[in-house]
Amino acid sequence: MRELVTIIGIMVLAGVIGCSSSTTSVNLHSGHGSMVVSVQWPERTRLIPAASESLRLVAANAANYREERVIDRPADSVTVTVVFDAVPTGEITLEAIAYPQAGGQGVPQAAGRAVVTVVAEATAQITLTMTSSITQLVITAPAPLEIGESVTLTAVPRDTQGRIVLVADGQITWTSSNDVATVDADGRVTAQRAGSAIITATDTESGVSGTVNVQVQEAPPPPPPPPPDGGRIAFLSDRNGGEEIFVMNADGSNVRHLPTVSGRKDEIAISPDGQTIAFIANGAGNYEIYTIGIDGSGLRRLTTTSNHDWGPSFSPDGRQIVYFESINNQDEIFTMNADGSNARRLTSNSSMDVMPIFTPDGGQIVFSSDRGGNYDLFTMGTDGSNPRALRSGGENEWYATITPDGGTIAYVQGGSNYPDGGLIAAVNRDGSGYRRLTNPAGYRDHRPSFSPDGAAIAFASTRDGRWAIYVMDADGGNPRRLTDGTANDRYPVWGT
């Protein structure tokens, strides 16, 4: 048992009546009155005041009158009468002090006091009742529950001074205001549906109640399953009406929508650890760069300039993002930390420098630039130094992707504008070894992305009518469609 808490309540009712000998024989002296004190002991249903075993009654006035009586608790719940005779007239203070042991022994547990007016040759009748000391039931509100979740509440009885009052088992009853959450006899609350419910606890002996508001919310969607050996592919689709981000397994299974922000989404990238997606959206007016967890958590806006920001791509260690920004009708390349801080401009010229990516060793940036007329593939240092053209093929070359070993660059060849598409080609890291991987006739291929092992390429194609996501072997063989083609699915990026 917990240490005894020294709290009980004592209620004293005092009054003055005329002289009476019908119930109690009182020896009255001239100029004096008497008091008859009736002590009503409660049932032994509460640890306190059930733990009180005796009372010390002290009658005193402002002069020198003082008289005490000690009464022990009877075996049964009965009224015990105590007589004070030859009590001086006037105001008498009657104090009742409760003790845990018989004979008024032990540390006092509580005290009650009342002023009684005694008149000559009359008997004052006083009823003293041991009452519940509970004035409040305190219930701590739980955290919001999810549907199906349970929690056991505790109602703590306290007195007017906030001190704990012990109660026996089974003295508290529980009810709920509705079916949002149910509660059993032990205070165990179970969430049933979204909303809120008022849970009420009531002490059956004192009648004191306490309430708490329990909030119930829908369970969050389960986390995405771990990716299969082939990793995940993120892509853009208008299957929900506007351009939105979707994620699927590398075999085309488990397609799920990734809610982000309002506005059109475009140009996505996956971090090296596969846990974060970077994208652009124009919901804030300009196209700005955002990131979000693969599980839909941690949405963050990274850029807040008055210019359009495009084409984010992660560094091999995931700590930086390279992108390009439209400044005075020119596209320039920047890097920034993955949290959006420390933006640094790498290019500054009259050309369009676009679609940058880091090489897997983190030592260079591959990008496209029209500084030679068409958009050609270039490399430069991560600080923007030493830009060098890889090749000049006479057609636009953009949307580069590079194998994990850094040996091969695949890209889109052709098209007069970014969204056009063309064919997919590849070259060695130094620009040599040009080869076509696709040879579209009457359709377009777009946006290649190497698999994490470099053995396959995901890409978008209109070869079956609408834009759909396909994969093929790294040499261009064995193309197969992953999405059904009933919507426009494009811009795939392959992550771990």
Side-chain angles (χ1 to χ4, degrees):
M1 181 188 301
R2 289 183 288 176
E3 181 180 354
L4 186 64
V5 182
T6 58
I7 306 160
I8 63 174
I10 298 176
M11 180 175 67
V12 177
L13 302 176
V16 178
I17 63 173
C19 180
S20 171
S21 60
S22 61
T23 58
T24 305
S25 176
V26 179
N27 183 16
L28 299 178
H29 300 273
S30 177
H32 291 72
S34 66
M35 295 189 302
V36 176
V37 181
S38 299
V39 179
Q40 177 64 54
W41 294 86
E43 297 287 342
R44 292 179 179 268
T45 58
R46 187 178 301 284
L47 298 181
I48 292 178
S52 301
E53 295 297 333
S54 62
L55 283 180
R56 183 182 301 276
L57 303 178
V58 180
N61 65 7
N64 294 322
Y65 173 76
R66 180 183 175 86
E67 190 171 355
E68 295 186 6
R69 299 282 191 275
V70 175
I71 58 173
D72 290 340
R73 184 176 193 138
D76 299 321
S77 175
V78 296
T79 299
V80 177
T81 301
V82 180
V83 177
F84 290 80
D85 59 1
V87 180
T89 58
E91 289 187 348
I92 301 295
T93 299
L94 178 66
E95 184 177 26
I97 306 169
Y99 292 86
Q101 300 171 21
Q105 300 298 307
V107 178
Q109 295 174 296
R113 183 178 287 107
V115 176
V116 181
T117 300
V118 176
V119 298
E121 301 181 3
T123 299
Q125 296 278 356
I126 303 102
T127 300
L128 187 151
T129 303
M130 303 282 287
T131 63
S132 168
S133 55
I134 296 175
T135 60
Q136 56 182 322
L137 285 183
V138 179
I139 312 170
T140 301
L145 303 178
E146 296 174 3
I147 295 175
E149 187 178 3
S150 295
V151 64
T152 299
L153 302 180
T154 300
V156 180
R158 295 185 181 272
D159 69 358
T160 54
Q161 294 178 297
R163 296 173 297 188
I164 296 175
V165 180
L166 301 181
V167 297
D169 292 339
Q171 292 288 91
I172 305 294
T173 60
W174 296 86
T175 58
S176 176
S177 62
N178 55 46
D179 62 354
V180 168
T182 59
V183 62
D184 65 15
D186 297 321
R188 185 172 180 80
V189 175
T190 301
Q192 304 293 340
R193 60 181 178 85
S196 63
I198 302 299
I199 304 299
T200 301
T202 302
D203 171 53
T204 55
E205 187 173 341
S206 67
V208 174
S209 295
T211 62
V212 68
N213 190 344
V214 174
Q215 299 290 328
V216 179
Q217 59 191 15
E218 297 281 355
D229 292 341
R232 297 188 183 96
I233 296 174
F235 63 99
L236 297 171
S237 178
D238 62 5
R239 60 185 63 192
N240 285 359
E243 291 285 340
E244 297 290 337
I245 300 173
F246 289 78
V247 180
M248 63 182 173
N249 294 339
D251 61 0
S253 63
N254 192 32
V255 178
R256 61 186 180 88
H257 176 221
L258 188 64
T260 55
V261 295
S262 63
R264 179 186 174 92
K265 287 74 176 180
D266 210 337
E267 297 182 357
I268 56 180
I270 298 181
S271 62
D273 64 3
Q275 298 304 302
T276 304
I277 291 180
F279 64 98
I280 65 171
N282 66 354
N286 299 318
Y287 276 100
E288 304 289 353
I289 298 174
Y290 297 77
T291 57
I292 191 170
I294 195 78
D295 60 356
S297 65
L299 177 67
R300 170 181 280 183
R301 179 177 171 179
L302 302 188
T303 60
T304 57
T305 69
S306 59
N307 302 314
H308 293 296
D309 296 306
W310 313 90
S313 183
F314 286 94
S315 62
D317 61 7
R319 296 181 179 179
Q320 290 185 297
I321 292 175
V322 64
Y323 62 102
F324 64 103
E325 183 174 306
S326 297
I327 304 174
N328 297 323
N329 296 318
Q330 300 296 320
D331 291 332
E332 306 294 351
I333 295 176
F334 287 71
T335 60
M336 62 181 169
N337 295 338
D339 63 0
S341 63
N342 195 26
R344 304 173 297 282
R345 183 170 175 173
L346 303 186
T347 64
S348 180
N349 53 64
S350 59
S351 303
M352 297 288 195
D353 298 326
V354 299
M355 301 168 193
I357 61 170
F358 284 96
T359 56
D361 59 10
Q364 288 187 307
I365 292 174
V366 178
F367 66 102
S368 296
S369 178
D370 70 350
R371 58 187 69 185
N374 296 314
Y375 282 93
D376 296 317
L377 294 180
F378 282 73
T379 63
M380 65 180 175
T382 57
D383 60 357
S385 62
N386 194 29
R388 183 178 67 90
L390 287 183
R391 54 176 276 109
S392 178
E395 292 184 87
N396 290 325
E397 300 172 340
W398 38 28
Y399 288 108
T401 180
I402 190 166
T403 51
D405 64 6
T408 300
I409 299 172
Y411 58 94
V412 175
Q413 177 181 319
S416 60
N417 203 348
Y418 298 160
D420 288 350
L423 60 88
I424 296 175
V427 293
N428 298 331
R429 170 77 173 267
D430 61 3
S432 65
Y434 169 81
R435 60 268 191 195
R436 288 188 176 187
L437 303 184
T438 68
N439 190 21
Y443 59 88
R444 294 169 289 164
D445 296 330
H446 203 23
R447 190 45 173 100
S449 178
F450 275 108
S451 62
D453 61 3
I457 296 174
F459 64 103
S461 179
T462 61
R463 60 187 62 195
D464 289 319
R466 302 173 69 109
W467 286 110
I469 308 302
Y470 292 75
V471 295
M472 62 183 173
D473 297 342
D475 62 2
N478 192 28
R480 58 266 189 203
R481 191 174 72 186
L482 297 186
T483 58
D484 58 21
T486 58
N488 285 303
D489 302 325
R490 62 188 191 91
Y491 212 107
V493 288
W494 207 325
T496 57

